[in-house]
């Protein structure tokens, strides 16, 4: 698939994939029901969110009743508004607060992207640890398992269909990104996700996967911890450590410049910082740009 589109991953359950999964090209989910369609995440720009809504119309005549945001980042939430004021938006309680605090700041990182006339629409319903949606005879579990990609990650688990939507806790073919979350927390959450008997995993970015993608993300994070520990012992900065790192098996992952940001989080945790403690996101992003040799490409 080279263009965004729906893929049926179980009977009546769809993943909306946006290749190539790079910056702001996230995946979404669609679970149609006569009682109201459930959408899992939206998209970064107005045009992409409207394309998602149009695609939903090709598999069901029932309008979306619920949008679940897997976390607060704009590529997963900016498109909430295209589903209308009557649609319920569900997120973790910290996700609503963070979405309001951040506003449309993501747009400032890539000012040349055609964002459209995005209207911020934060969650109207929030929860702390677990919320279950019942749509006809289908069960949709929303789970917050701890700080991972962010402080407010939500996974969506369909136990009967064995389909797991991870948000950005797990990425497929893309470099993990834990600047606003936690390395150790991600590893703990990935371990809990392994306990679910998932057959299909829809990651926040990248191609469809099986449960092996959870192990792949965990390997990267453990490698990251090792790089950080060695760099701290050697008196090197995250930027210096990233420049010297041999990516090895991770060399083929998209958006490798995230290593700089991930090392900042790993350094902080190695020195005792709690998961999710705010770091200087703008300053770290500037270091990623320097490491990359320019602004990373965003095709949103």
């Amino acid at each position: 698939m080279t263009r965004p589109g729906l893929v049926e991953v179980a009977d009546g359950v769809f993943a909306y994939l946006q290749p190539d999964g790079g910056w702001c090209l996230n995946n979404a989910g669609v679970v149609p029901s006569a009682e109201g369609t459930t959408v899992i995440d939206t998209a970064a720009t107005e045009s992409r969110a409207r394309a998602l809504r149009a695609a939903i119309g090709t598999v069901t005549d029932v309008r979306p009743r619920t949008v679940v945001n897997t976390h607060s980042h704009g590529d997963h939430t900016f498109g909430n508004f295209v589903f209308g004021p009557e649609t319920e938006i569900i997120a973790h309680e910290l996700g609503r607060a963070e979405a309001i605090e951040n506003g449309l700041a993501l747009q400032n990182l890539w000012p040349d992207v055609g964002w459209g006339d995005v209207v911020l629409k934060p969650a109207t319903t929030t929860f702390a640890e677990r919320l279950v949606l019942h749509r006809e005879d289908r069960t949709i579990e929303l789970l917050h398992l701890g700080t991972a990609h962010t402080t407010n990650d939500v996974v969506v688990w369909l136990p009967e269909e064995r389909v797991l939507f991870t948000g950005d806790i797990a990425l497929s073919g893309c470099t993990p990104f834990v600047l606003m979350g936690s390395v150790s927390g991600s590893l703990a959450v990935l371990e809990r996700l392994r306990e679910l008997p998932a057959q299909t995993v829809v990651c926040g970015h990248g191609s469809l996967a099986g449960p092996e993608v959870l192990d792949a993300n965990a390997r990267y994070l453990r490698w990251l911890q090792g790089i950080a520990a060695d760099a701290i012992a050697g008196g090197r900065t995250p930027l210096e450590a990233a420049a010297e790192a041999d990516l090895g098996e991770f060399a083929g992952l998209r958006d490798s410049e995230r290593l700089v940001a991930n090392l900042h989080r790993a350094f902080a945790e190695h020195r005792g910082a709690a998961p999710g403690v705010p770091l200087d996101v703008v300053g770290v992003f500037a270091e990623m740009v320097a490491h990359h040799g320019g602004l990373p490409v965003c095709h949103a």
Side-chain angles (χ1 to χ4, degrees), residues 266-290:
F267 271 50
E269 291 187 359
H270 188 88
R271 292 166 173 161
V277 168
L279 301 181
D280 178 11
V281 172
V282 174
V284 172
F285 193 85
E287 288 192 18
M288 281 200 297
V289 172

Side-chain angles (χ1 to χ4, degrees), residues 90-104:
I90 302 177
H92 186 264
E93 57 192 15
L94 296 178
R96 170 183 162 82
E98 190 168 278
I100 293 171
E101 179 181 359
N102 292 341
L104 302 179

